[in-house]
Structure formats: C-alpha cells, structure tokens
Amino acid sequence: MLTTAYGAGLLGIDGFIVTVECNSTKSLPGFEMVGLPDTAVKESQQRVETAIYNTGITGSDLNIKINLAPADMKKEGSALDLAIAVAILQGKKVIPKECALSDKMFIGELSFSGSIRPVRGVLNMAIAARDHGIKEVFVPVQNAGEASVVDGVTVYPCPSLADAIAHLTGRKVMTPAEHRVFDEADTVSFALDFADVKGQIKAKRALEIAAAGGHNVLMIGPPGSGKSMLAKRLPSILPPMTFPEALETTRIHSATGLLSDGTSLITTRPFRSPHHTLSAAAMVGGGSKNLSAGEVSLAHNGVLFLDELPEFHKDVTESLRQPMEDGRVTVTRAGGRLTFPSTFMLVAAMNPCKCGYFGSKTKQCTCKPGEIRNYLKKISGPLLDRIDIQIEVPALSFDELSVKQTAEPSSVIREKVLAARKIAKERFRDDNITCNAAMTSKEIKKYCAIDDKALTVLKSAFDSMGMSGRGYDRVLRVARTIADLSGSENIDMRHVAEAVSFRTLDRKYF
Ligand SMILES: [Zn+2]
C-alpha cells in the first residue's frame, strides 16, 4: 500500500516541502529509505519504529520503503521523523485511509517514548507549507509560537505521536494555536535603557547621530569605561522593527536553531556580540557540513558589536567587507551555495593602546610609541573606511559617577532619531537609499552642499588633521545627519564642526 505525508526540509533560511512516500507490503519485513537523507535522517528509522512501538502500536511487521522527494535536495536533521511515522501509520491502517493527509504537514523529531521534540526552522517550514497551499501544520509544542505567526495555516502544537494519532483518527481533537498578530508595542520594549548610563554625554550623542543616520561607529576608550554598556543600548534607540523586518530576522534565528522555546517573533533589533576568537566561517556563515547563517546574518536588521576590535583575526574583519557592502552574504561550501541577508549597523570598540591607558587621566600608559602605532595598525583599513563615526569613551571621574541626575531615556532619544530618519527618507525618495550613511559621492554632492563658513571649518580640520578624501565624505555624511537631527535643511558650520569632532583616529593618532 502506498501512502504519502508532507514534511519539510531547510535550505539556508528557506523551508521546502518534502513528500514522504511510504510503500508497505506484506513481504519479508524490512525498512529502507531513499532520497538523499543525511545521517540524522537515516537514523530516523530507529526513532520512528521505537516511538511507534512505545505508543502501543504493534501488529504485523511490514516491508517498508520510504522515498523522500524531491530526490535531489539534501534532507538534514530529524524534523522529518513525524511525517515518516504518519506515512507508515497510514500504511499500517492505524490512521484510516479516509483521513486525508494531503492538506497537512508534519514537523518534529520523535523520541523513543513517542514524544515530539523541537527542531530548528519551523517558522520557515510553516511559510513553505502556506505557500504550497497546505492548510494544517503539526509542530512540536515548543515551536508552536513561531509557526503561529504564519497567516493562513492552522497550527497544531503536538506533544506526542499518540496525540497526533488521536487527532487524525478523530478520537481526541487537538486545540490549534492562536494566530500570533504583530504588535507594535513589542517593538519598543527593552530591558536596557540609556537612562541607566551615567555621564558619557559625548558618546551618547554620537550614538544618537549614528542611529539617526545609520552610521557605523568605533568607540575608543580604556577598559571599564562603559563601551559595551553603551553599545548594548543602541537597539533601544533605533527605529522600531517593521513586521517584514521582524519576520526575516526571526527566520534567520529559527533556521539557525537560536530561537528560545515558545518564542514567536523577534520584535526588537538583535544585538550580536561575537568573541574575537571566532572564525571567518562563524562570522559570515557556512561551515563544512551544514550551511548555516553567521554572525553578520544573525545581526541582520540590528547591531553587530565587535569588542576589542584589534584582537579579531584579520581574515575575520576582512570577511565583513562583502556583507557590509551588499547587505547580504553568499557562502559557498562543499554543501552548496547560499545567500543570507546581512544588513546591520557595526559598532566596534577598542582600547586606545595595548595596555589600555594611552591618553588616560587616571592611569599611566606603559606602551612605547611604536607599540601604540602597531596596535592601531592591526585594524583592517577597509573596515575603518566603512566607519563614519569614531569617538573617545573616557573613564568617568568620581563626580560623573556620583551624579544623581537621571539621564535621557531611550524613548526620548528614539523620537529624535525617528524624526531625523523621516527627513532622510523623504529626501531619498527617488534615490534608492534609506539613510545618510548609504550616501555615495554622487548623493553627497547633491545633498551636502555647505556654505563658505562651514567650508572654512572643514578646510582647517583637513589641514590640521591631514584628513583623506574619504575622511571628507565621512564628515559630510555625518554633518548631514546632525543637520537632520536639528531639523535644518542646510548644513552649517556648527554641524560640520561637530562632525569633525567624530574623527578621533585622524585627529589624535595618525
Ligand atoms: Zn598603553
């Protein structure tokens, strides 16, 4: 008897339909599986047979052949267990022939006891189901949240194989999960707030400008001055996520297996802070066996924070170039070739020198001049080229630390950021860019005209700092954002002067 059930596979961040065909006959008992299964899928025979047995289903042993179609797509992991079990059970007539499986998809790993374990990529698979016209999706209980985001499918959180059988035979119908609607209130709910950060007025102002213009930032300061504390709060002042952004970010995290149980949508911008020992493959994605998303994609629509920037291997920082330029990254490995989205804001932090205290008022730097230069040389030039804002984050004095006054909360800063972004969006309506940081020389010429007074400020900065032509563009981009924040159409000398102050490295070190 030939039976069919739908399961799903995962290719990068896209789910695809897998048709599980089961041919069961009464000839010599046996089990065979074809259709490019990996080791985990091959092992599903053991899990499926034991789960069926422990669910109390015995009876005649059959000869079972399973075909996973399409045959040319590699099937990975254990998510097909449930679909395979259901196809077999219909072959065994435990699930009656009359029960139509053609509008249902089954996702989940089976344990020996028959309970259903969570798997990665359920959101992506449920989207594939919907796009394929499948009406009902049976998923592990822990993954029901993410699946319930998908419009147009009924999601059944399924605790065990026994529950699936009871439902399909009509003995005990399960309750579907409630459809999860995107709620804008969730996009502005943050555990960390700028109100908690004392002092650091200049650094906070720099992050406000960075958020408003989408500029990448480098923070330079001694250990313990609060660089990561500031960076972690950046998502709280960025524009709230839209539904398509939330969905895309969640798809990446779901496919990578990083959604915590029960999560439905990631509604706040992600903050990723990989350690400096990570490999280039972990940064941009890939891997020898499975092709999975890297840190640049996990930070998609959010912030990628690189603490102790000079400590990162050069090949890792250089690998950021393509994803930063294109907003997506293509990884090629033995397993194939895939593209992942990677639009993020980069925030990097570093000590001013090897010992950490160059230029510090509180502690003496013990580095030799040559060592300071070598330390800074470790930063990749092409990466530095993509950073518009550089700021110093000095250690706070006792007076600043003991001040009682509360700082400006993130919600207030976010309003200013939103107002500036609105101005930029309106300006770029015909330009195919969305923020000031994305302006190329062409747009800079068009939108960053400055008057004579401002030009004088810029020229004297140039002469005294020995700024490069690229530095010039960066100052103008930031000056444009500062003007937008103050609601000014023209860029005047104050805007330029403030923008120049965010070129710490040019000014102080080179
Ligand atoms: Zn030092």
Side-chain angles (χ1 to χ4, degrees):
M1 178 179 175
L2 181 68
T3 51
T4 303
Y6 288 120
L10 203 57
L11 186 68
I13 56 167
D14 294 316
F16 64 92
I17 306 289
V18 175
T19 308
V20 179
E21 288 179 318
C22 170
N23 194 52
S24 37
T25 56
K26 280 195 174 134
S27 62
L28 227 50
F31 193 107
E32 222 180 307
M33 182 148 45
V34 295
L36 274 185
D38 78 344
T39 320
V41 181
K42 277 185 194 144
E43 284 170 359
S44 84
Q45 177 195 350
Q46 306 295 335
R47 291 189 299 270
V48 169
E49 287 187 326
T50 315
I52 289 177
Y53 179 81
N54 284 331
T55 301
I57 294 149
T58 47
S60 58
D61 278 338
L62 298 172
N63 182 295
I64 289 167
K65 282 195 178 71
I66 301 281
N67 178 36
L68 306 174
D72 58 349
M73 298 278 269
K74 213 171 137 193
K75 326 299 181 301
E76 293 171 344
S78 49
L80 288 168
D81 286 3
L82 184 59
I84 293 171
V86 167
I88 292 174
L89 287 171
Q90 197 167 43
K92 282 178 180 273
K93 302 196 174 83
V94 174
I95 297 168
K97 216 168 52 187
E98 297 71 43
C99 173
L101 299 179
S102 58
D103 60 349
K104 301 175 178 60
M105 177 186 275
F106 300 91
I107 306 166
E109 174 184 320
L110 285 172
S111 72
F112 275 2
S113 70
S115 65
I116 297 171
R117 291 198 171 120
V119 292
R120 64 190 176 97
V122 172
L123 167 62
N124 318 44
M125 294 171 178
I127 292 172
R130 191 249 339 257
D131 295 347
H132 199 74
I134 288 171
K135 296 274 179 277
E136 296 174 7
V137 184
F138 296 75
V139 302
V141 174
Q142 295 90 330
N143 299 122
E146 49 182 298
S148 69
V149 168
V150 184
D151 217 356
V153 288
T154 305
V155 174
Y156 289 104
C158 194
S160 70
L161 184 58
D163 290 298
I165 298 168
H167 179 91
L168 294 169
T169 52
R171 270 189 289 118
K172 193 180 168 211
V173 177
M174 289 189 283
T175 318
E178 206 178 306
H179 175 55
R180 168 70 154 72
V181 187
F182 178 68
D183 185 352
E184 276 177 12
D186 297 336
T187 63
V188 289
S189 145
F190 295 92
L192 301 172
D193 197 287
F194 273 104
D196 317 327
V197 185
K198 286 182 175 164
Q200 302 296 10
I201 307 293
K202 173 94 178 165
K204 282 191 231 169
R205 167 71 176 160
L207 290 179
E208 173 184 323
I209 296 165
H215 305 283
N216 298 320
V217 183
L218 174 63
M219 294 193 275
I220 305 160
S225 60
K227 291 170 296 204
S228 35
M229 188 169 154
L230 288 159
K232 277 181 195 154
R233 284 160 176 79
L234 183 56
S236 71
I237 59 167
L238 286 167
M241 269 181 145
T242 61
F243 178 63
E245 282 177 330
L247 190 64
E248 196 168 31
T249 299
T250 312
R251 283 173 65 206
I252 298 167
H253 286 247
S254 172
T256 320
L258 287 176
L259 272 194
S260 42
D261 287 355
T263 305
S264 53
L265 264 186
I266 295 174
T267 47
T268 52
R269 298 194 180 273
F271 177 85
R272 299 292 300 180
S273 175
H275 192 256
H276 59 75
T277 50
L278 100 164
S279 66
M283 181 63 98
V284 294
S288 51
K289 263 176 74 194
N290 301 330
L291 282 168
S292 61
E295 289 295 334
V296 294
S297 302
L298 293 169
H300 180 58
N301 290 324
V303 175
L304 180 67
F305 178 54
L306 305 183
D307 200 4
E308 305 194 45
L309 181 64
E311 303 300 326
F312 280 81
H313 288 285
K314 212 152 201 169
D315 62 327
V316 176
T317 42
E318 305 265 313
S319 71
L320 289 170
R321 208 164 145 182
Q322 188 231 335
M324 285 175 82
E325 218 148 282
D326 302 343
R328 59 183 185 276
V329 58
T330 301
V331 287
T332 314
R333 293 287 183 275
R337 192 182 148 89
L338 284 175
T339 299
F340 297 98
S342 65
T343 306
F344 57 87
M345 246 178 92
L346 178 77
V347 180
M350 61 185 282
N351 295 336
C353 64
K354 207 164 172 10
C355 83
Y357 294 96
F358 176 65
S360 167
K361 286 183 210 129
T362 52
K363 221 169 160 181
Q364 188 72 34
C365 168
T366 55
C367 305
K368 296 189 186 82
E371 284 177 339
I372 295 172
R373 191 159 283 268
N374 284 343
Y375 183 73
L376 294 167
K377 268 196 188 143
K378 283 166 90 178
I379 316 169
S380 141
L383 187 67
L384 217 47
D385 270 348
R386 311 216 125 256
I387 297 177
D388 289 342
I389 295 179
Q390 303 160 353
I391 37 156
E392 277 178 286
V393 184
L396 288 181
S397 65
F398 180 77
D399 288 349
E400 284 171 297
L401 282 169
S402 56
V403 74
K404 290 231 165 59
Q405 201 186 349
T406 47
E408 203 172 27
S410 294
S411 56
V412 173
I413 307 173
R414 193 169 58 236
E415 286 308 315
K416 292 189 266 178
V417 166
L418 276 172
R421 287 244 179 183
K422 205 175 150 201
I423 294 171
K425 206 175 160 192
E426 175 62 23
R427 173 169 60 238
F428 299 139
R429 60 188 181 276
D430 301 323
D431 292 294
N432 203 22
I433 54 173
T434 53
C435 61
N436 292 341
M439 282 193 285
T440 60
S441 305
K442 191 182 115 204
E443 287 103 15
I444 290 174
K445 215 174 227 165
K446 199 162 150 196
Y447 300 119
C448 302
I450 53 174
D451 60 23
D452 286 347
K453 273 189 197 158
L455 197 65
T456 315
V457 174
L458 193 53
K459 189 173 179 312
S460 77
F462 242 76
D463 294 343
S464 63
M465 288 156 58
M467 215 188 271
S468 67
R470 287 203 191 105
Y472 183 86
D473 278 359
R474 282 193 288 263
V475 167
L476 286 179
R477 273 198 289 261
V478 175
R480 179 69 267 167
T481 303
I482 296 170
D484 290 349
L485 273 168
S486 62
S488 159
E489 204 180 322
N490 297 320
I491 301 175
D492 68 28
M493 57 183 277
R494 287 167 308 159
H495 307 138
V496 170
E498 190 178 2
V500 166
S501 76
F502 295 122
R503 301 302 308 164
T504 297
L505 279 185
D506 306 338
R507 197 169 64 236
K508 198 159 178 181
Y509 299 89
F510 292 118

